[in-house]
Amino acid sequence: MDLLLRATGREARDAAQPWAEIEAELGTDLPSDYKQLCQAFGVGEFSQAVSVLCADETGVADLLRMWRFLLQGDDPSDGAFAPYPIHASGTTGGLIPWGTSAAGDMFFWQVADGAVDTWLVLAKMKDSEYWHRYGMTATEFLYRVLTDPGFRPYSVADSVPEPCFEPA
């Protein structure tokens, strides 16, 4: 979190998030780094390229709204996110969205048994059938997208030399 704050030149905010409500509806806890990210930045866009889904009163970048939308249209055998299902409350193995890119890419956690802070990040480019799996936190993934030119195919570091954050 500190690396993201320093990279974007921001001070941490205290953007209150209704975690109990969000986690109750999802039927699972969420990773602690993600909670810190939403509380420190709130809703907005990183480097005009990546939005993190948090609680958003406008509904544009709202985690639960996006999750409900994806769950409603999910077809794990042949849908856009096959072979993975969208997470259904009380299950494991499914995906919970946590971020999107301006290019239409989507970033998820794969819900697994055990500690939520060890969930894998899965990323999928728009109109691609291929998945990328990362053994890192959402904040580390986001930091690499913003600062590491070699973090392909998701890096924006070459086109955005100074990472920034614009609150919504």
Side-chain angles (χ1 to χ4, degrees):
M1 181 55 54
D2 290 336
L3 290 174
L4 275 174
L5 289 167
R6 267 187 299 221
T8 58
R10 307 287 296 184
E11 294 287 324
R13 297 174 23 190
D14 188 13
Q17 299 287 308
W19 295 123
E21 175 186 317
I22 292 169
E23 292 174 331
E25 186 167 344
L26 290 171
T28 185
D29 291 339
L30 293 171
S32 58
D33 74 295
Y34 163 76
K35 291 180 185 180
Q36 293 170 0
L37 176 64
C38 287
Q39 288 173 210
F41 286 93
V43 175
E45 191 172 47
F46 288 87
S47 298
Q48 298 181 333
V50 178
S51 295
V52 174
L53 304 172
C54 301
D56 179 9
E57 293 175 5
T58 70
V60 174
D62 185 74
L63 171 67
L64 286 177
R65 182 173 181 240
M66 176 67 79
W67 171 71
R68 287 181 205 122
F69 174 77
L70 295 175
L71 184 61
Q72 181 180 24
D74 187 38
D75 178 357
S77 64
D78 193 27
F81 305 109
Y84 304 103
I86 297 301
H87 169 74
S89 185
T91 66
T92 59
L95 304 176
I96 296 176
W98 63 262
T100 62
S101 79
D105 306 329
M106 294 196 70
F107 312 123
F108 299 88
W109 294 289
Q110 185 175 23
V111 177
D113 290 328
V116 298
D117 289 332
T118 63
W119 286 352
L120 294 177
V121 169
L122 272 70
K124 189 170 194 295
M125 297 181 80
K126 182 179 180 181
D127 300 327
S128 174
E129 63 187 64
Y130 301 106
W131 286 91
H132 297 93
R133 298 170 61 88
Y134 300 93
M136 61 182 66
T137 64
T139 51
E140 182 181 352
F141 180 89
L142 179 58
Y143 179 77
R144 302 252 334 253
V145 165
L146 298 174
T147 64
D148 182 354
F151 193 62
R152 298 287 176 212
Y154 299 103
S155 178
V156 298
D158 286 336
S159 60
V160 183
E162 299 246 353
C164 62
F165 177 78
E166 186 65 37

